[in-house]
Every structure is written in C-alpha cells, then in structure tokens.
Amino acid sequence: MTARADRRPLPGVVGRAVEHELLSGLLGSAPLVTLTGAAGVGKSVLARAVLEEHTARYDGTVLRVGCWDGLPEGGLTEALLRAARPADSTRRDTTTVPARRAAPSCVGEAMHGRTEPAQAPTGPAPADDTAIAALAAHCRRYRATVLLDDCDPLRDECAQLVRRLLRADPTLRIVATARGALGLPEERTVALAPLPVTLGEGIAGPAVELLAARAGAATPELLVAVCQSLEGSPLAIALAAQQLDRMSLPQLAAQVGSDGPLFYSGPAATVRHTSLYAAQAAGYALCSPLDRRVWARLSVLPGDFDPWLAGCVSTSCDVPAAAVEGALERLLTASVVERVRDAGGTQEDTGAPLPPRYRLPRAARDFGRTQLREAGEEAAALRRFRQACAALAAEAQIAWQGPHQQVAVRLVEDEQANLDAALTRPPQDAEDALGALEIAVSLWFHWAACGFRREGRAHLDRLLLLSRDDTALRARALWLAGYLAAQEHAVGPAEALLGEAWTAAVMHADSDGLARIAHAHGVLALYRGNAEAAVACLEEAARHRSRDPWFGPGPAHSWALLAVALSSPDPERARDAARRAWESRHSDGDFWLYSTVLYASAATERAHGEPAAALRACRAALAAKKLIGDPLFIAGARDLLTGLRSEVRDGEPLPEQDEDAPWWRSGGPDVPPQPFFSRLRTGP
C-alpha cells in the first residue's frame, strides 16, 4: 500500500467479530500474531482496525511496513526506522533514499494513537544490530506495535526480523498478515475465511450485508445469489459492487454466475487489489514453477478432491506423481488451496479410512484455468480428468457388487461434483465421448438403485446421441436407459430402448445383456400390473448364469423381484424364490438385494395371514434401505407397514389393494401419481 492510500479512513470491518475479539485478546499475551487467509479475504483491513483500537486504548503507536510494494535500500529494518521518524523527516528521506525495487513506494509508516510525534534516531541507517536495538528501544518508549503487512514476498526476511526483534526485547508485540504463517515457535495465528453468505434459513450473512451496503434496496435472493457465486470473498464482493455503476443487480447476478468475476476491476489501495486476477497473480508469482503447473491443472476440478484425483490431473512428464502431494501442501500453506477434510478419520457407518480432501476456491480456480488455457494444456488436463472419473466410477461399481455397498454410495457422494462435470462437459472427440458414456454406465447402481433415475436418463439420452458406434459399451448404455425408463413407468421409451438393446446384445453375442433385458421387461410388466408376464420374464432372467457379476442387477435380484411378483398369486413359490435370491447373493453386504428380499417376505407373510411376521420383515426392509439411501419399494413398504400396524393392533384384516393405486405409488386423494421413486438430487 502507498502511504497516501493507507491514511484514508479505514472501511468498515464486516462480519469479523469473532476474529476481532481473538486478535485483540492475543495482542495482550502473544509476542507474534499472524493473520492468515487467501488473497482478498481482508487480513490487512482487520489488522489495522484492531491495532487502531488497541493503540487508542493504550496510548500507543503502530509501526507498519508493507512488504509487497517495494522497500528502501536497508530493507525491512530501514523501513521500520523510517516509519518511526517524524512525518516531515519521512517525506524528506523518501526523496533521497534510492528504492531497491521497481515499485515507487516504500510503504513504511507510523500509525499514531498519540498527538505528539514519535521520535527516533535520524540520519544514516545504523548497523543491523544497532538498528534492531534502536527499534526495540523506540517500541518500548512509545508502546509501539510492529505491523508487518503482506509478508508473503519477504516471508523469510520477516521471520528473521521477528526473531531478532524478540531477542532484543521479548516484550515486544508484533502483528503480521500473510497468506501463510511465518512458522515461528512464538507465533499464534488467526485464520480468516471468506464471509458467510447465510447464517441459517432466511438469515442473511455478513457477505450479503457487505454487498447490500453498496447495492441499496435490492431483492435479497439476488444479493445471496451474487455472494454465493463469489464464495463470500470480501474483495470479490467489493469489486462486483463497483460494477453496479454500469449494470443492474439482476444483470450482475447473471454475469457473476456464468462468466465469473475474475476480470472485474476498480480503484483499490494496492495494484494487486484492483482485480481478482491481479490478486491471484501476485500469489502465483511467488510459487515455484512446479506448484504453478499443479495449481493450473487443479483448476479443471470443479469440486473438492483427494490427493489421488489431484495426482491424476496434475501428473505429466514435467510434474512427477510423487511431487503432487508436496505441491498440495505448499499451496495449502499459501492459502491457494483449502483443506475441507483432514486425513486420519474413518467413515462413521463403514469404518473405511478417509483421505484428506482439498478444494480450490473459485477465484484461484478461474485464475488457474486462464493459465492452463494460455499454456495450451487445457484439453490434455480435461481428458485426464475424465479418465480419472471413469476410474472412480468403475471402482464404485465394483464396491457396489461386493461387500461394500455403503463405500460405493459414499464414494459417489464425495465425488458428486467431479462426476457431474465429467458427465456434462462437452466431449472433445469420439473417444472422449465414450469415456463420458463409460462413467454413466458404471454408475448404473447410482441411477437405478439409489433413486437418481431422471438424472441418469438425462445423461444417457444425451451421451447416446454422441456415441453412435455399435460398441458393447453402447449396448449396455441402451439397456440401462431402457431399465431406468421402465422403473420410471415410461412404457413407450422403455420398450423402444430395450428393443435397441436386444438387437445390440444379439449382435455382440451378449447373453448377460439378454438376461438383463429380460429383467427390465419383468420390471416393466410388474409396474404395469401384468403379473403373468412379469413372472415369465423374471424367471428367464433368474435362470441365467451371469458371466459378469460386476454390472447390472444379476440373477439374485431377478429371484427377489420374482418373489415380489409371486407373493400374492403363489406365496409358496414366492418363499422359494426369496430363498434362492438370498442363496445366490454375491455378499452379505448387498443391502439392496436384502431389502428387496425382505419386502418380498413381508408381502408373502401378509398373503399367508401372518401380519406380525410381515410387520417384522417390513421394518427390517426399511432399515436396510436406509443404509444405502435406497428408495426402492420404499413407498410400497411404508404403505404396507401402515396397514400391518393397524391389523396387528386392531386384529382386523388388511383391505384388499386398490387396483387403481399400484403398490409402488403412495395413494390418497391429495397425492398426485408420480414415477416410481425417481428422486432428484438435493443440494448444490
């Protein structure tokens, strides 16, 4: 910062009450307090606001030196000495002492809480030890606190100066601001995060308050939308607010949500704060060439990520795989990357170990993407990203068919943003389109068993248009699209897609595919109320001996659905089918199969006039579904559970099921008919 800009009135500090109190408290006990945080988060503003209050309360002064914009020949020590001199001496000296750097201002200055001028030795710069002693004496005499502002470009020099000052006088108080800590044993850190956008449902947070101060009367939803797109960054909000001079708030909300605010600019106290691009570029310049490459390649990741995924998109001939984790830690220290989950924990419901997860904030991600594009590496990084997501989806598919269905569900949830991006970003060529289709097919269980059928159908419909070649992968995709349409009770699309899938399966001699098609036709018949056709199709699918146990529902699930289809017309055969379903399972951890078998058992026991046994099975079926978030049969199970409870309590038989209210739909005059358990993903 220039001396002139620094002496303007400080802007209001919004939303920093906790950090303000913490910093104020540490000033009384810790010799060194460092405010850390990402570019534009408001470290310097908060430090100066707290120090002005502190000096006013204790009749002291502040010696400030800004490290980014250039220092005099004597470095940090000389800059602090010049800040301690009277104002007229400071102006006189700045005209005669040559600058060591190209920036025009040395930014050493005094921030006074007293009316009398601070006094310090004038004249030529003394030797280092003498200078340190003089600074320490000045700080004692005038109750001065040292503020080392923006330490990042001179981090080592700042750390060395702090050591020497505290050796000279351990009672000194020093405040530093930097993107990362100085790493000294005496140091206490106060980390600044972006401002919260909301504080709960319907409660605007300080980020919205900051924008509203400039926007005036405005629709709260638009203010929240802008602040969410800007991720609560104070600098980004300030720069976006300046755009209101040339556009309306709705226009700003639309533009921020699509193009991003990277190149918004406006007047600021420092050059690097005139735009988000300049703020990120300042930090980028301090990174090593390897860290810059990793930063740029991480920008293709839209969500949070673990070290494995970071390595997949970053590794190349100029970035060894073994170097990626070290780069991540350095970028974390520099507040470029955020850690959203520490390593060492375990999944609560599965006991699986949890790796650390990181996130690249939007401003850093947008900046990295521009660097990647300018280097001509964007296409290669995007291809590596899609290949990594295909490997993740394949891993989840294998976990689903093994003993770890919950691990598969959690893996997809963790990588939701990345998988969505890999499925929706336009492919670069035919090979890339096949990679996206492979991801959609591998996630068959997510679409079919975990309830995201509409989303799965949308991805498959689009990707099938981009992948016209007659491949085995396309044949599977056709079956999956037809299977999801059958579950959605979309009869016409389901029959058309399954017809195409049958032709492709015959051409590829895919007996497993034919069995899966029979299973899908059984599902379609079951939902249409045609029990005879459902039994015939499901028996055909159940008798097949699958050669690929990793894809699709398989014979065990066909037996389970056969038990459901037979529960009313032939309870004895239904019991036998349920038993065979359980005997042919892949593992005891197949909760999807387990819940279906239990539902079939509940329906069978009901048909046999055993409501208590049916009630126990129905409760267990619902409990099994909750383990994987599986909505399959859940409405029918809940309706059955309600009736069974009534019968067990009152001893009255269950009423016959209304043919106009199929078992897979919730009935009632106020409940509109909906597709069979297709849920839309919630959240961002």
Side-chain angles (χ1 to χ4, degrees), residues 10 66 149 172 179 183 197 265 346 355 388 449 466 507 569 581 618 642 651 680:
L10 288 173
D149 212 359
L172 285 182
R179 302 187 186 192
V197 177
S265 62
T346 58
L466 299 174
M507 291 294 295
C618 195
T642 301
L680 296 177

Side-chain angles (χ1 to χ4, degrees), residues 71 148 150 205 230 312 330 332 478 517 594 619 626:
L71 294 174
L148 300 177
D150 300 322
L230 300 175
C312 288
R330 290 189 294 275
L332 178 67
L478 287 167
I517 292 167
Y594 182 49
R619 284 173 174 163
K626 291 178 181 178

